[in-house]
């Protein structure tokens, strides 16, 4: 038989738990407001150091290099030789001359090698910038991606290899492995997840979260004082999952990007963005 004091204790505990839940939700809401306020403060193109990378990339695009002593201005990124407007919005895509689906960084490496006859070993070694170590690739991607601003992400799915790689990317997204038995979907497979104060976008469903995320890369990372590309974002995700580090410009990373872009179809590109 339940005694009156036991019932009172249960009620008190229930009220206490509800109060803690309300307080936690309130604290989370306040954190979100502060994060949004911070983003608004730094989201000014005139104060975004990422645009310095855009300017450097423009110079690199027209610089004559390699044994052929030519620029990248004749590189075909999918819109025709040297045409940049809208090219990034449709990458990755299948290129007949390479017989391969390539993202922007794979394509740039291919053009450096085939168009310029340029030794890309140094470019790959400096694929990600660091203190005193600038990255030609990050600068070129910033310049090229910026030419698609205001345009919609258009996943390319007409060629059989594009369809195949997208399916591989989806399988990779849900594949659990590594010492922590993580997958991409462990963090990005349902709404409402977060790491500390950072909300995590849900890529399991097409829509706004995926659109806003994919349309904002490349981005300038304030915490790293560097512009970062999607290749770096994916590399860092695998590193944090304690997976083996993927090869730069690998087919696997392109496959994953294909799937993420499929989920983000229609997102309006605005890059380089700026993030914490």
């Amino acid at each position: 038989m339940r005694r009156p004091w036991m019932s009172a204790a249960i009620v008190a505990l229930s009220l206490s738990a509800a109060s803690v839940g309300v307080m936690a939700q309130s604290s989370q809401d306040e954190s979100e407001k502060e994060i949004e306020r911070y983003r608004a403060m730094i989201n000014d193109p005139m104060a975004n150091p990422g645009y310095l990378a855009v300017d450097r990339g423009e110079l690199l695009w027209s610089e004559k290099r390699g044994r052929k002593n030519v620029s990248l201005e004749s590189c075909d990124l999918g819109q025709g030789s040297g045409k940049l407007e809208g090219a990034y919005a449709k990458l990755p895509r299948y290129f007949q001359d390479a017989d391969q689906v390539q993202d922007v960084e794979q394509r740039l490496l291919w053009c450096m090698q085939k168009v310029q006859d340029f030794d890309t070993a140094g470019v790959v070694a400096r694929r990600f910038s660091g203190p005193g170590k600038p990255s030609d690739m990050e600068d070129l991607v910033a310049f090229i991606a910026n030419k698609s601003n205001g345009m919609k992400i258009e996943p390319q799915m007409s060629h059989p290899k594009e369809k195949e790689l997208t399916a591989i990317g989806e399988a990779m997204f849900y594949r659990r492995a590594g010492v922590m038995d993580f997958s991409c979907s462990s963090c990005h497979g349902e709404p409402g997840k977060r790491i500390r104060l950072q909300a995590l976008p849900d890529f399991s469903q097409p829509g706004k979260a995926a659109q806003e995320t994919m349309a904002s890369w490349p981005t300038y990372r304030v915490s790293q004082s560097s512009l970062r590309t999607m290749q770096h974002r994916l590399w860092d995700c695998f590193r944090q999952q304690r997976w083996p580090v993927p090869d730069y410009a690998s087919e696997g990373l392109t496959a994953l990007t294909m799937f993420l872009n499929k989920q983000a179809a229609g997102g309006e590109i605005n890059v380089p963005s700026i993030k914490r």
Side-chain angles (χ1 to χ4, degrees):
M1 182 176 178
R2 181 176 294 176
R3 295 177 172 81
W5 66 267
M6 291 179 63
S7 298
I10 291 171
V11 170
L13 286 172
S14 298
L15 290 173
S16 176
S19 177
V20 169
V22 169
M23 290 172 63
Q25 182 62 49
S26 176
S27 176
Q28 181 172 314
D29 291 343
E30 287 301 315
S31 297
E32 286 287 353
K33 289 179 182 177
E34 287 302 308
I35 291 170
E36 288 305 316
R37 190 169 71 88
Y38 167 74
R39 286 173 177 160
M41 289 169 59
I42 65 174
N43 195 24
D44 178 359
M46 298 304 294
N48 183 349
Y51 279 88
L52 297 175
V54 174
D55 293 340
R56 291 192 298 267
E58 184 174 11
L59 294 176
L60 285 168
W61 180 255
S62 59
E63 181 182 345
K64 294 180 179 180
R65 301 198 297 183
R67 294 185 182 90
K68 295 182 180 179
N69 194 35
V70 297
S71 72
L72 286 168
E73 291 170 312
S74 61
C75 177
D76 182 2
L77 293 173
Q79 300 293 88
S81 180
K83 295 181 180 179
L84 299 180
E85 284 71 16
Y88 184 76
K90 297 180 180 180
L91 288 170
R93 68 185 302 161
Y94 175 77
F95 290 91
Q96 187 173 2
D97 52 11
D99 191 27
Q100 185 182 24
V101 176
Q102 297 175 325
D103 74 348
V104 62
E105 289 169 78
Q106 281 181 303
R107 188 60 181 175
L108 282 169
L109 287 174
W110 189 91
C111 284
M112 289 176 186
Q113 294 162 2
K114 303 299 182 181
V115 175
Q116 296 179 305
D117 197 8
F118 183 74
D119 184 356
T120 58
V123 175
V124 173
R126 294 182 292 108
R127 59 196 179 276
F128 307 138
S129 60
K133 190 184 75 170
S135 169
D136 288 359
M137 190 60 76
E138 288 177 347
D139 293 344
L140 282 165
V141 172
F143 168 62
I144 292 166
N146 180 253
K147 292 292 185 180
S148 287
N149 271 2
M151 301 181 188
K152 308 289 188 183
I153 295 174
E154 294 184 49
Q156 302 299 291
M157 300 286 291
S158 59
H159 194 278
K161 289 193 175 183
E162 293 169 344
K163 296 176 182 177
E164 178 187 27
L165 217 60
T166 302
I168 291 172
E170 182 173 7
M172 289 178 63
F173 181 80
Y174 290 102
R175 169 73 173 174
R176 300 178 71 99
V179 296
M180 299 180 72
D181 193 33
F182 268 25
S183 68
C184 300
S185 63
S186 297
C187 291
H188 300 285
E190 59 184 86
K193 286 197 170 186
R194 60 194 305 115
I195 293 179
R196 296 180 293 277
L197 293 179
Q198 181 64 47
L200 300 172
D202 176 17
F203 283 107
S204 65
Q205 300 294 328
K208 184 178 179 181
Q211 289 173 340
E212 290 181 347
T213 302
M214 295 304 290
S216 66
W217 288 84
T219 190
Y220 182 83
R221 299 301 299 263
V222 175
S223 58
Q224 300 175 21
S225 300
S226 297
L227 181 125
R228 296 306 190 193
T229 66
M230 181 51 60
Q231 282 272 344
H232 183 276
R233 175 66 274 173
L234 295 178
W235 169 84
D236 202 35
C237 280
F238 280 110
R239 180 189 66 82
Q240 292 181 68
Q241 292 180 78
R242 305 299 187 266
W243 278 51
V245 177
D247 291 339
Y248 178 67
S250 65
E251 190 173 47
L253 291 185
T254 300
L256 191 51
T257 304
M258 288 285 284
F259 169 68
L260 297 178
N261 270 0
K262 175 175 174 285
Q263 303 299 83
E268 185 173 312
I269 296 170
N270 185 17
V271 295
S273 66
I274 184 167
K275 300 180 186 290
R276 61 169 181 79

